[in-house]
Amino acid sequence: MTDIIYAAERIAQLRKEIEHHSHLYYIEAKPELSDYEFDKLLEQLMALEQQFPDLVTPDSPSQRVGGAITKEFVSVTHREPMLSLSNTYSLGEVEEFYNRVKKLLALEGVNEQSMVAELKFDGVAISLLYRNGFLVRGATRGDGIQGDDITPNIRTIPTIPLKIIDGGEIEVRGEVFMRKEDFEQLNESRPEEERFANPRNATAGSLKLQDSAEVARRRMSFVAYYLQGISEEYLPHLKRLERLEELGFFTGKQYRLCRELHDINEFIAKWSEKRWKLPYETDGVVLKLNAVTQWEKLGATAKSPRWAIAYKYPAQQAPTVLRDVIFQVGRLGTITPVAELEPVHLAGSTVSRSTLHNFDEIERLGIMIHDRVIIEKSGEVIPKVISVVLEERPSDAVPVVVPSHCPECGTPLERAESEVSYYCPNEGECPAQIRGRLLHFSSRNAMDIKSLGKALVDQLVAIKLVKDAGDLYFLQEPQLEHLERMGRKSAQNLVRALEESRTKSYERLLYALGIRHVGRATARELSRAYPSIDALIKASEEQLSTVPDIGPVVAHSICDFFAKPSAQHLLEKLRDGGVQLSASESTVQVNRNFEGMTVLFTGALERYDRQQASELVMGRGGRVVNSVSKKTSLVVAGHEPGSKLDKALKFGVRVVSESEFEEML
Ligand code: IVH
């Protein structure tokens, strides 16, 4: 009894501390704890809650790590329709809007009007519902009347309070978005062909994921811009934004009260450049009447309120000159044409390079060297060449020639039939590929070796001190000291960083190996199903295909990778160098009760979904299959099993119920 009382007190104290530091970190951007210290607090809380599950509450910060799997999102009706805004790209139309509102209000006998100008965040609109202070629902806009209930995913977003100090039924609307840095990190962790084009797409895709633990890893943010249901029915909008902040929401704080049209124009002009310096993407300015009493007077059309408008900044474009096209060789040998541009100022930075993606893109643009081109920055973080000014083609324009040989190592290039890209087949020796693999190995989603940057990798490869990641673990300080821009201290730092990286998680290592199509998420699934590299190497393509998320293409790529002598050498060196090649104790499953067994699930289980059940089997050494044969070791039959059960019985395969299965676990 005293234990639980003590635990309850400690839990309350930890939650308060975590919430406080979370607010400092995410909302105020003034952290007082290191990430490590913060994680330790969260770990303590989770350990206590695990010990005393009755003390878990829905508003506990532990609930943000996700875990719930939603099979299908339920449709819910909004308290009031979620309208959109009328959009304009023209300052003239903003003026018309301002004058129209003035006239309409004058008809109602109102002669004072002030507007709140806010930044328009580029994300996905969401409605949050709080009852008696607790977050009870998070929903997408959907068709404006009904949206999807995505509460488990919403709970994972750190800037969304799980509890607020205000009773009754409160609705908060705003935009879920991804900070540029979080977006880049997410994209870095994904195989190239699965990368998102911009933070908005990444956000939209992530909010719809069924696995909320994966949503939690995606690091999304929320900005609040609308509050309803408070007791002061007519609290002006500006005050509502301030109230949202008091309740713990992030608003961005870049709003301003505008009494004259002049103030609005000033706000728009000020942010047209300044917005590029923000850590997230904004695409315009939203103007809202400040007096909520006036909202009612003006009303709304079917689509949008008459008391607000969104001004969108025009896409940022600039003309420049294509000086040259160079060809970069990636870590997988792919040749990417890159435009070298006359430096030009665009969207808050100077642009002198831009990817042309592949040779089809060059053909599509019809681009020639020395052409005048237009570059654009819209939703994407990196600007791109969008067109050629053909009328201004100079007489010395030169066609872009597809190289026949690798610009790095001179090997003749090849092109796979189904692919748009050329590649250098000299995997083992091409210095560009070696450098690319090393940089991938040390990148932040992989082994995160900060002191091993591009300049150092260039040198290590150039003087042939390092040929693969395995060589890194045999580097000695004296070899490094005399390299350019190194010295004693830097050499020591690198050796220490490498030492630390030896114990990085097995999951990170799997990703760091740079297997084609294997991003962080796939590496995680692999590390669960095969908790050691030795087990993974032995897995067949067919076996790998049963791992969640892994299809035949990825399975093939994994087997292909491990079959190569170069991979075997690399793994030997990593092993000799002391790198961790299996999951640590805490992540390894408790037993190997399903070692060597093939298991088939049929019908619906009550306590697990298919994926969870499969993971439990695989984590214990078993394999999950989709069809029954005489060789199948076990069939787990849930509710309404299919014809597979009949087959199993016919073959005399052992059949168990869900509870028997649980016992076996
Ligand atoms: S107000 C009735 N404020 O942009 C109130 N919307 O193009 C409707 N958006 O539908 C929304 N930043 O998804 C509002 N500061 C802001 C906004 C904002 C981004 C989004 C929102 C809206 C769309 C209109």
Side-chain angles (χ1 to χ4, degrees):
M1 193 60 195
T2 45
D3 270 4
I4 193 161
I5 292 171
Y6 167 76
E9 264 176 29
R10 179 72 187 131
I11 282 177
Q13 191 186 15
L14 280 167
R15 285 181 187 165
K16 217 165 150 190
E17 247 177 278
I18 291 170
E19 269 154 23
H20 171 68
H21 288 290
S22 182
H23 187 87
L24 286 178
Y25 183 90
Y26 290 108
I27 313 264
E28 307 279 336
K30 286 181 202 136
E32 285 174 5
L33 292 187
S34 68
D35 290 1
Y36 177 80
E37 288 165 320
F38 183 84
D39 289 347
K40 281 285 157 218
L41 288 179
L42 195 61
E43 263 172 38
Q44 278 183 42
L45 174 65
M46 294 187 43
L48 270 175
E49 288 184 353
Q50 203 173 7
Q51 214 179 331
F52 299 94
D54 290 347
L55 297 178
V56 179
T57 56
D59 62 320
S60 170
S62 63
Q63 301 306 298
R64 293 194 187 279
V65 296
I69 309 269
T70 318
K71 285 190 188 148
E72 207 173 318
F73 297 115
V74 178
S75 196
V76 288
T77 306
H78 294 298
R79 253 171 47 123
E80 50 178 295
M82 253 182 110
L83 300 179
S84 184
L85 295 177
S86 49
N87 280 334
T88 177
Y89 284 94
S90 120
L91 291 172
E93 279 181 26
V94 170
E95 185 173 350
E96 276 171 31
F97 162 77
Y98 185 84
N99 291 331
R100 185 167 61 241
V101 169
K102 198 170 201 166
K103 219 161 103 226
L104 287 171
L105 287 177
L107 288 176
E108 300 279 340
V110 181
N111 292 315
E112 255 230 27
Q113 103 180 34
S114 57
M115 293 206 163
V116 179
E118 296 165 26
L119 286 184
K120 181 163 144 47
F121 281 69
D122 200 8
V124 177
I126 289 292
S127 148
L128 305 172
L129 211 55
Y130 290 86
R131 260 190 220 117
N132 300 322
F134 287 93
L135 173 69
V136 291
R137 188 178 92 184
T140 61
R141 182 194 342 242
D143 63 5
I145 306 294
Q146 288 191 319
D148 284 344
D149 183 338
I150 53 165
T151 315
N153 291 352
I154 288 297
R155 280 187 194 286
T156 68
I157 300 174
T159 38
I160 294 185
L162 299 175
K163 195 171 66 185
I164 57 174
I165 1 167
D166 203 321
E169 190 167 276
I170 305 266
E171 186 184 7
V172 174
R173 291 183 184 174
E175 207 85 350
V176 176
F177 63 96
M178 220 175 253
R179 293 160 54 95
K180 290 179 197 166
E181 203 189 325
D182 295 331
F183 166 72
E184 276 159 26
Q185 181 153 8
L186 170 65
N187 254 359
E188 266 174 34
S189 78
R190 296 169 73 79
E192 223 150 287
E193 62 284 0
E194 285 175 25
R195 296 204 172 148
F196 293 105
N198 54 52
R200 183 176 8 86
N201 289 4
T203 307
S206 304
L207 282 177
K208 292 269 164 74
L209 288 173
Q210 290 169 322
D211 175 2
S212 59
E214 177 58 23
V215 180
R217 283 189 284 268
R218 300 260 175 122
R219 289 170 158 271
M220 292 187 282
S221 308
F222 178 76
V223 58
Y225 49 61
Y226 186 80
L227 171 67
Q228 276 294 7
I230 43 175
S231 49
E232 307 96 309
E233 208 181 332
Y234 293 114
L235 191 71
H237 182 63
L238 187 74
K239 288 264 182 322
R240 288 180 193 230
L241 291 173
E242 288 163 8
R243 175 70 55 83
L244 282 166
E245 284 159 17
E246 286 158 21
L247 292 175
F249 289 93
F250 170 79
T251 62
K253 284 204 174 142
Q254 294 104 349
Y255 48 82
R256 163 176 177 194
L257 187 68
C258 302
R259 296 191 194 277
E260 306 287 342
L261 180 63
H262 166 76
D263 303 327
I264 293 175
N265 283 323
E266 210 177 72
F267 186 88
I268 292 177
K270 172 175 135 187
W271 283 103
S272 77
E273 265 299 304
K274 221 178 146 188
R275 69 195 171 109
W276 299 109
K277 299 273 179 277
L278 294 171
Y280 37 79
E281 302 216 326
T282 57
D283 60 347
V285 168
V286 177
L287 302 165
K288 296 172 191 163
L289 261 180
N290 186 32
V292 171
T293 44
Q294 299 175 358
W295 293 8
E296 281 181 8
K297 290 201 165 79
L298 297 191
T301 68
K303 282 199 210 118
S304 48
R306 289 198 188 84
W307 45 264
I309 196 170
Y311 167 79
K312 288 183 88 166
Y313 287 113
Q316 298 278 305
Q317 294 189 343
T320 183
V321 171
L322 178 68
R323 281 185 177 167
D324 199 1
V325 174
I326 56 157
F327 301 93
Q328 276 179 353
V329 189
R331 70 180 166 91
L332 297 165
T334 312
I335 309 290
T336 308
V338 175
E340 294 218 307
L341 305 162
E342 207 141 273
V344 56
H345 185 78
L346 177 73
S349 58
T350 302
V351 181
S352 53
R353 268 193 176 193
S354 152
T355 171
L356 291 164
H357 301 289
N358 53 50
F359 296 97
D360 284 9
E361 175 78 354
I362 293 182
E363 222 163 84
R364 193 184 65 78
L365 289 166
I367 205 170
M368 286 169 83
I369 294 164
H370 301 149
D371 264 344
R372 181 162 281 274
V373 295
I374 306 292
I375 60 170
E376 179 179 296
K377 178 159 179 168
S378 52
E380 290 75 19
V381 180
I382 305 154
K384 59 180 184 201
V385 176
I386 56 153
S387 61
V388 177
V389 189
L390 282 177
E391 311 83 74
E392 290 182 35
R393 173 159 286 167
S395 53
D396 65 347
V398 194
V400 180
V401 182
V402 179
S404 56
H405 290 74
C406 174
E408 282 280 340
C409 68
T411 307
L413 296 184
E414 293 177 11
R415 183 180 199 169
E417 232 168 70
S418 56
E419 304 235 335
V420 282
S421 302
Y422 287 80
Y423 70 94
C424 164
N426 183 17
E427 221 181 289
E429 303 292 330
C430 176
Q433 294 184 53
I434 297 175
R435 292 196 303 263
R437 286 195 291 266
L438 288 168
L439 281 173
H440 173 77
F441 187 85
S442 73
S443 66
R444 63 182 164 177
N445 277 301
M447 302 300 261
D448 196 19
I449 310 170
K450 291 195 183 64
S451 37
L452 186 62
K454 191 174 172 315
L456 186 52
V457 165
D458 284 354
Q459 284 192 71
L460 292 172
V461 176
I463 58 170
K464 300 205 161 62
L465 211 49
V466 172
K467 250 189 108 174
D468 65 23
D471 294 336
L472 294 170
Y473 293 94
F474 297 90
L475 289 174
Q476 312 260 320
E477 278 171 38
Q479 293 171 292
L480 298 166
E481 266 175 35
H482 305 295
L483 296 179
E484 246 173 74
R485 276 182 289 164
M486 273 301 270
R488 192 105 178 250
K489 192 102 202 328
S490 312
Q492 269 173 1
N493 283 345
L494 179 64
V495 172
R496 191 170 318 127
L498 284 163
E499 178 63 42
E500 278 167 20
S501 80
R502 287 186 164 101
T503 51
K504 284 273 154 76
S505 71
Y506 165 63
E507 173 192 319
R508 275 181 181 268
L509 176 91
L510 283 183
Y511 170 67
L513 291 176
I515 306 170
R516 192 185 288 264
H517 304 304
V518 176
R520 256 314 274 269
T522 308
R524 185 172 307 118
E525 295 297 347
L526 278 176
S527 72
R528 282 189 192 149
Y530 298 94
S532 78
I533 204 93
D534 297 316
L536 179 60
I537 292 173
K538 285 190 208 120
S540 68
E541 268 184 58
E542 197 204 358
Q543 286 169 331
L544 287 169
S545 303
T546 63
V547 176
D549 249 16
I550 296 187
V553 175
V554 184
H556 178 77
S557 159
I558 297 167
C559 288
D560 210 40
F561 178 88
F562 287 118
K564 283 187 197 128
S566 59
Q568 283 154 21
H569 287 151
L570 168 65
L571 290 177
E572 260 165 47
K573 283 191 248 178
L574 290 173
R575 197 186 304 271
D576 293 346
V579 176
Q580 186 166 318
L581 297 178
S582 58
S584 61
E585 290 298 321
S586 62
T587 51
V588 180
Q589 289 290 353
V590 277
N591 60 53
R592 304 286 295 169
N593 289 354
F594 287 81
E595 189 79 62
M597 289 175 75
T598 48
V599 180
L600 177 131
F601 292 96
T602 175
L605 299 181
E606 243 167 46
R607 284 175 290 277
Y608 313 94
D609 66 29
R610 272 295 158 82
Q611 186 174 329
Q612 289 167 323
S614 305
E615 280 175 16
L616 290 169
V617 169
M618 291 184 299
R620 289 163 172 77
R623 234 174 14 102
V624 176
V625 292
N626 279 324
S627 57
V628 207
S629 76
K630 280 184 195 140
K631 287 192 201 140
T632 311
S633 330
L634 183 75
V635 167
V636 181
H639 284 296
E640 299 184 16
S643 61
K644 288 174 187 166
L645 176 62
D646 301 337
K647 254 194 184 164
L649 292 169
K650 208 170 87 193
F651 287 140
V653 175
R654 180 174 171 207
V655 177
V656 295
S657 67
E658 180 169 352
S659 46
E660 286 170 276
F661 169 62
E662 267 191 326
E663 270 181 43
M664 293 178 74
L665 290 173

